Amino acid sequence: MPTATSMIELANRVCSHFAAAQVAHAMAEHSASEAEHAALTARAQQWEALVNEQWTALCSAIWTTAPEGAQVERFLPVRPLTNGHVELHVHDTQAHRLVVLLTGAQALAVGAHLTASGAVSLDRIGQKLDSGLPHVKAAPPFPTSGAARPGTTPGDAAGPPPGRP
């Protein structure tokens, strides 16, 4: 029985080899000679053969794991639509079902607000979220020396607009 890790690794290999084949095809289209074109096309075909082989293995692993196939959930509280909008299925205080239609930007804003509100609420009651979150490696500090002054955007050598400190 395939594990989740082995299936993800297999999917990553399929994607990586597919990308390599696409790059080889693109490079072949811009090759300088017939020999280079032939070599790059052959390389693309090798990558495609690996993709086909690993795609078959991935499909087999999926069917082994889920022989009945995936079933559609009857109730999805948040459902993305093909037009970029998001449906939010909720109930009011009288248990009436409501559907709130949000744009993608609105859905992201609502999600960010709910996440922040939940984090603040948990922090105020003394629960810490640290144990449930993945470790984030500290980023190196920004360099303080160099052409860019603090408060300017990188690559903006002119500094702030006239009249501003």
Side-chain angles (χ1 to χ4, degrees):
M1 184 70 118
T3 64
T5 302
S6 67
M7 288 178 67
I8 290 171
E9 288 171 356
L10 188 53
N12 285 337
R13 280 197 305 271
V14 169
C15 293
S16 175
H17 292 151
F18 178 80
Q22 294 301 305
V23 168
H25 277 299
M27 290 175 61
E29 292 299 318
H30 299 286
S31 59
S33 68
E34 287 295 322
E36 183 182 18
H37 183 272
L40 289 167
T41 301
R43 184 180 300 162
Q45 290 171 347
Q46 290 171 342
W47 287 119
E48 287 171 344
L50 279 172
V51 168
N52 291 335
E53 173 185 314
Q54 292 171 348
W55 176 256
T56 302
L58 179 60
C59 289
S60 174
I62 290 170
W63 282 113
T64 299
T65 305
E68 302 291 319
Q71 303 300 316
V72 176
E73 297 267 343
R74 279 192 62 216
F75 175 71
L76 292 174
V78 178
R79 187 171 73 117
L81 303 175
T82 57
N83 64 359
H85 288 78
V86 175
E87 281 183 353
L88 180 62
H89 294 253
V90 296
H91 294 95
D92 68 6
T93 55
Q94 282 83 34
H96 296 113
R97 294 182 64 194
L98 302 170
V99 177
V100 179
L101 184 63
L102 303 169
T103 66
Q106 290 170 329
L108 286 172
V110 167
H113 285 282
L114 287 171
T115 302
S117 178
V120 168
S121 297
L122 288 173
D123 187 58
R124 286 186 180 165
I125 63 171
Q127 277 192 311
K128 299 298 177 193
L129 301 176
D130 299 355
S131 63
L133 297 173
H135 174 71
V136 177
K137 190 172 110 177
F142 290 109
T144 56
S145 62
R149 296 189 314 227
T152 62
T153 56
D156 182 15
R164 294 193 126 176

